[in-house]
Amino acid sequence: MIRHRPRGLGHPYRLEPDQRVPVDPVVGEPIELRATTPWSIAGLAVELQIGGRTERLPAELVTDELVADELVADEPAASDEALQPRDGHLSAAASRAPALARAAWVVRLAPLPAGTRVRYAFIAEGGWRSRRFEFTVAGWRADAGRLVVTAAGGAGDQTGGDRPASSAGAVTAVPETDRLVPGSVAWLCADAGPLRLRFALRLERGAHVVGFGERFDHLDQAGRRLDATVFEQYKGQGNRTYLPVPFAIVVPGDGSPGWGLHLRTSRRTWYDVGATDPERLWIEVALDPADLDPTVELALYAGTPADVLAAFLAEIGRPTLPPAWVYHLWMSGNEWDTQARVRAEVERSLAEGIPVGVVVIEAWSDETTFVAFRDARYAVHPDGAPHRLADFAFPPDGAWPDPKGLVDWLHTRGIRVLLWQVPLLKAHPAPQGQARADRDTMVARGYAVREADGRPYRNRGWWFPGALLPDWTNPDAKRWWLEKRRYLVEEVGIDGFKTDGGEHAWGDGLRYADGTRGAETNNRYPLHYAAAYHELLRSCGRRPVTFSRAGFTGAGAVPLHWAGDEDSTWAAFRAAITAGLTAGASGIFFWGWDLAGFSGEIPSAELYLRAAAMAAFCPIMQYHSEFNRHRRPSRDRTPWNIAERTSDPRVLPTFRRFAQIRERLVPYLADQARRAVATSRPLMRALCFEWPADPQIWDVPYQYLLGDALLVAPVVEPGATDWEVYLPAGRWVDLWTGAAVEGGRRVTRAVPLEIIPVFRRADAEEVPDLPSLA
């Protein structure tokens, strides 16, 4: 009748209509107590007990909100799937069914002193009453834990923020005692224990700050506020990200030595990068309230951006080098849901003279087990035990009459195959057959991530709502999940997995088999997920390749990654370049994106070809499209469909040329990938890694180096006929004309659709012999 969930659903950004805001009230901040009721309730109030005083405050009906009745029980009804809200927007089904929706109410409290204990309950007209809730207002203290500052090669310990750290050696240019602002360390504490740490680092005025994981909004985060927590923002990421890393590189604007930082935590962190004070980098770190004497470790590194990244990777581990076949062109489409369709698309590509290296098949499975091919017939294993290929019968007239034959056919043409995966066992529609047996096994054996009360956690996100998540920290659960997929590698012959959807562990209170909780392990979940599939592939004798969109610190050890979901817009194109550069600056070297976007209406011919040109000169070149079976005409992102839809005769020949150029780049990319791993320099490299003291590089945030030799300047605006390129100091050679140019200045180049400005260092070796496009 009355719903109040003080901690909400664990969504890191959305405030729920039935939660407490903030979840842990803080001194000096106003408080909202929110609840929902059926629309039939005429009034709601909150009974407050503060000290010895009790009062009743009426709740305000939030009349401009209609709230879906979210079902988060163990067995959500299939008919309620459409009622799941998506980023605060009610589905059309819920708006047509007000009987299944709820009214939203709020009581607003003025800020309360630190240490104030508040008990409250909601009371509805008619006598309905909620259970009693309580909180204590948290306050800031200076002596509740320890901040340990570690220099590269040495360490200092500062307790409570008041005692100078002792320098143990290797920070030579910027000692940590100069970096930490005296008196800035404070701990947010409530009765349960410390909740957060806050401190400030000295930031040079005019400094540039790069990193924090894969970021879509800006290469330079100076003057901005952001956080680091894994999240699936379906398109338009802004300052949210699938792949955060609590690591950053600071490049002073005055040419002085740079530095960097790494918070050694998997908990959520927040950053004010000179937004409040241009000379302060404020940082907050979430803590475990059960730890009454918390210790937070901050690593500081000194030197150039390349030095800082190398020191960081020396600590966490360098990226893993993938096999060279990943540098060929990738192709996929989410509506390629039959064997005939996949083969037809590949045959069309080869007939068009467009070489293919990798096919990702997304719509292959029954979409319930994510193990069996759609239409396959097989006996259910009640305990969820693995099947072998011989256990399946594939109807000749089915969607996938001979999966192994298809994979063999692709392999004979030198094409590798990845199959799509998600770490979820769906709840909608209600599982039947093998999916139900798998669900029952996961629940009975405790193989799923759990709620605080021991119940299996049910996915709280909009995608696959109510689904179970396997607990990768449980060795038995991991083995059980992977063995079900072994036949796909050993017998069908696939080469890797697209490990999608690692972002669905929500809630600080979740429980994992290794004894950790959600606040500590949710950010690690996508790492555990990809690492598990690497383990499977390695055990089958494969060089592991996964293609993930989510990750955290150390994601470079489980390559590859792509930039996730985007519309086909120029803004998304620019955001993708930023994502690739910030990912590289955070240790994720083997990265790609859905060139020209994968969702919504198809890109224009101009956007498609500009994006294809850039993708030909980035670590992974691939195109992909969202599920569009119900759309006519087709929204597939194949070059032939774009050519047909746009009626632009330039699309196919120009895309073909870039795909062929990409083929000639493969040896260079393979060699530069080895060098990147050996030297800890990103393969797709922001210019600050080579020219940190050059202030003009920050004016061209979409330019980058590909390996050591090639400077790439993508055309990222529509209608361009000429493009200005900034060439840093040195001698450069136009890759297409062979003309030599002195650097340290801007040059303007004609950019017809078949041209992307690319210059090579004049003294570079082992640069591929590319055909002239002039």
Side-chain angles (χ1 to χ4, degrees):
M1 180 62 69
I2 301 173
R3 176 180 291 163
H4 177 61
R5 294 174 290 193
R7 309 198 76 81
L9 290 177
H11 192 299
Y13 300 107
R14 187 179 70 202
L15 299 177
E16 302 296 336
D18 59 0
Q19 74 172 82
R20 188 166 61 221
V21 181
V23 170
D24 297 301
V26 178
V27 62
E29 296 184 10
I31 303 165
E32 290 187 1
L33 305 177
R34 301 177 171 193
T36 65
T37 67
W39 279 101
S40 58
I41 297 297
L44 189 72
V46 167
E47 183 181 85
L48 285 174
Q49 292 183 358
I50 302 178
R53 178 171 52 89
T54 300
E55 63 178 315
R56 182 174 295 192
L57 300 178
E60 176 189 349
L61 176 63
V62 185
T63 55
D64 60 346
E65 291 192 36
L66 183 66
V67 182
D69 188 3
E70 295 177 358
L71 297 178
V72 293
D74 284 355
E75 290 295 335
S79 62
D80 291 317
E81 181 174 11
L83 297 179
Q84 297 294 328
R86 178 164 163 173
D87 289 334
H89 299 292
L90 188 69
S91 70
S95 65
R96 293 193 301 268
L100 292 176
R102 298 172 66 84
W105 305 82
V106 61
V107 172
R108 295 180 175 89
L109 306 180
L112 295 168
T116 301
R117 184 181 297 278
V118 179
R119 296 180 175 87
Y120 64 97
F122 291 90
I123 303 172
E125 288 190 7
W128 297 98
R129 186 184 183 96
S130 74
R131 69 179 179 86
R132 188 169 298 280
F133 305 92
E134 66 178 64
F135 63 85
T136 300
V137 178
W140 293 97
R141 294 170 47 187
D143 58 352
R146 301 195 318 144
L147 171 62
V148 177
V149 181
T150 303
D157 179 354
Q158 182 159 340
T159 303
D162 296 325
R163 217 171 47 238
S166 59
S167 178
V171 174
T172 55
V174 186
E176 69 272 19
T177 49
D178 292 340
R179 187 62 56 197
L180 185 64
V181 175
S184 68
V185 178
W187 307 81
L188 182 64
C189 298
D191 279 358
L195 303 176
R196 287 195 194 186
L197 163 67
R198 180 176 66 193
F199 62 94
L201 302 177
R202 185 175 56 80
L203 186 66
E204 294 83 355
R205 185 177 288 270
H208 307 278
V209 186
V210 177
F212 298 110
E214 181 186 57
R215 295 288 164 174
F216 295 79
D217 55 348
H218 290 81
L219 173 65
D220 181 5
Q221 291 291 337
R224 305 188 64 78
R225 296 180 179 89
L226 67 157
D227 71 324
T229 192
V230 172
F231 184 71
E232 185 213 356
Q233 174 70 40
Y234 176 71
K235 304 189 296 189
Q237 281 77 16
N239 68 355
R240 303 176 185 182
T241 180
Y242 305 96
L243 210 169
V245 180
F247 163 79
I249 300 167
V250 180
V251 186
D254 59 5
S256 61
W259 57 283
L261 65 98
H262 170 216
L263 281 157
R264 293 171 176 155
T265 180
S266 59
R267 298 177 184 275
R268 190 175 183 180
T269 51
W270 296 262
Y271 308 89
D272 178 327
V273 191
T276 300
D277 181 341
E279 295 184 353
R280 295 289 182 268
L281 169 54
W282 281 97
I283 298 174
E284 291 193 20
V285 185
L287 304 172
D288 179 4
D291 184 356
L292 300 182
D293 185 21
T295 296
V296 174
E297 293 188 12
L298 170 69
L300 291 178
Y301 316 103
T304 67
D307 294 335
V308 169
L309 183 58
F312 172 61
L313 294 178
E315 176 188 332
I316 69 165
R318 288 177 176 172
T320 299
L321 185 69
W325 56 259
V326 305
Y327 306 117
H328 297 278
L329 174 66
W330 295 42
M331 62 186 295
S332 66
N334 206 352
E335 62 185 76
W336 301 0
D337 58 357
T338 67
Q339 182 169 330
R341 178 68 185 274
V342 171
R343 180 162 174 158
E345 298 295 348
V346 172
E347 287 177 334
R348 177 68 183 270
S349 191
L350 298 179
E352 294 287 355
I354 297 173
V356 181
V358 180
V359 173
V360 180
I361 307 176
E362 289 213 356
W364 66 277
S365 81
D366 56 16
E367 294 288 332
T368 57
T369 66
F370 304 104
V371 169
F373 282 84
R374 185 161 57 88
D375 290 347
R377 298 169 184 163
Y378 58 98
V380 172
H381 289 180
D383 60 352
H387 290 81
R388 301 299 290 176
L389 184 59
D391 296 331
F392 296 97
F394 302 101
D397 59 348
W400 304 92
D402 184 10
K404 177 171 171 50
L406 173 65
V407 173
D408 290 345
W409 179 83
L410 292 166
H411 282 170
T412 62
R413 285 152 181 79
I415 300 170
R416 306 289 180 147
V417 184
L418 274 71
L419 294 184
W420 185 73
Q421 290 284 281
V422 288
L424 300 159
L425 199 61
K426 290 171 63 173
H428 302 299
Q432 303 296 324
Q434 189 61 59
R436 186 175 186 86
D438 291 349
R439 187 276 312 272
D440 293 345
T441 300
M442 287 185 72
V443 172
R445 297 183 181 177
Y447 285 171
V449 177
R450 292 170 293 117
E451 297 279 8
D453 62 6
R455 292 179 300 120
Y457 167 73
R458 296 284 183 169
N459 179 27
R460 298 171 186 165
W462 66 269
W463 197 41
F464 297 134
L468 296 174
L469 274 67
D471 185 346
W472 305 110
T473 73
N474 182 335
D476 293 333
K478 180 170 67 172
R479 187 180 309 110
W480 176 83
W481 186 275
L482 296 177
E483 287 303 309
K484 294 166 71 65
R485 289 146 175 83
R486 181 174 293 276
Y487 88 95
L488 296 169
V489 183
E490 291 186 339
E491 298 184 271
V492 178
I494 68 151
D495 302 284
F497 293 95
K498 185 172 183 177
T499 38
D500 200 356
E503 316 90 351
H504 299 293
W506 288 10
D508 291 352
L510 297 188
R511 300 295 195 269
Y512 289 87
D514 64 355
T516 59
R517 298 190 179 188
E520 179 181 358
T521 300
N522 290 350
N523 279 337
R524 293 174 176 164
Y525 190 90
L527 287 182
H528 293 328
Y529 167 34
Y533 278 76
H534 275 245
E535 181 180 317
L536 169 63
L537 289 160
R538 193 177 297 109
S539 72
C540 296
R542 296 284 199 279
R543 244 179 112 175
V545 170
T546 54
F547 202 35
S548 309
R549 68 182 181 187
F552 195 66
T553 306
V558 284
L560 314 162
H561 293 82
W562 95 100
D565 299 338
E566 285 293 355
D567 280 321
S568 294
T569 66
W570 289 93
F573 178 18
R574 294 187 289 271
I577 298 173
T578 301
L581 295 176
T582 51
S586 304
I588 298 93
F589 291 0
F590 304 107
W591 171 96
W593 63 298
D594 299 332
L595 70 85
F598 97 127
S599 184
E601 188 49 84
I602 62 166
S604 67
E606 181 187 12
L607 173 56
Y608 188 76
L609 293 176
R610 293 299 192 197
M614 177 268 163
F617 288 89
C618 84
I620 305 299
M621 181 183 187
Q622 67 112 19
Y623 62 79
H624 175 56
S625 59
E626 195 172 35
F627 182 76
N628 290 303
R629 174 173 288 279
H630 60 294
R631 300 282 186 180
R632 290 294 179 268
S634 171
R635 290 182 173 182
D636 226 18
R637 265 58 173 180
T638 59
W640 41 94
N641 189 57
I642 300 298
E644 179 181 342
R645 288 285 313 277
T646 61
S647 300
D648 193 318
R650 299 171 296 178
V651 171
L652 270 171
T654 305
F655 189 94
R656 179 185 303 117
R657 176 57 66 91
F658 283 125
Q660 292 173 348
I661 288 171
R662 176 66 178 201
E663 278 295 292
R664 300 184 71 167
L665 275 172
V666 168
Y668 172 77
L669 290 168
D671 175 66
Q672 290 297 312
R674 288 190 291 270
R675 297 188 186 190
V677 170
T679 63
S680 297
R681 289 173 180 252
L683 182 57
M684 180 178 172
R685 192 176 310 164
L687 300 186
C688 63
F689 280 92
E690 299 294 324
W691 299 279
D694 185 343
Q696 295 193 66
I697 63 171
W698 303 102
D699 298 329
V700 286
Y702 304 116
Q703 290 188 197
Y704 58 88
L705 287 176
L706 182 64
D708 295 333
L710 300 180
L711 186 145
V712 184
V715 178
V716 297
E717 298 288 348
T721 57
D722 296 287
W723 197 250
E724 188 176 77
V725 180
Y726 175 66
L727 296 174
R731 190 169 178 81
W732 298 90
V733 175
D734 188 312
L735 198 63
W736 312 122
T737 67
V741 185
E742 287 297 328
R745 63 191 181 98
R746 296 174 183 269
V747 299
T748 299
R749 200 207 191 287
V751 285
L753 276 181
E754 65 270 18
I755 288 290
I756 176 174
V758 181
F759 294 81
R760 67 171 175 86
R761 294 181 192 263
D763 58 352
E765 300 177 357
E766 300 181 19
V767 177
D769 178 24
L770 300 180
S772 173
L773 295 182

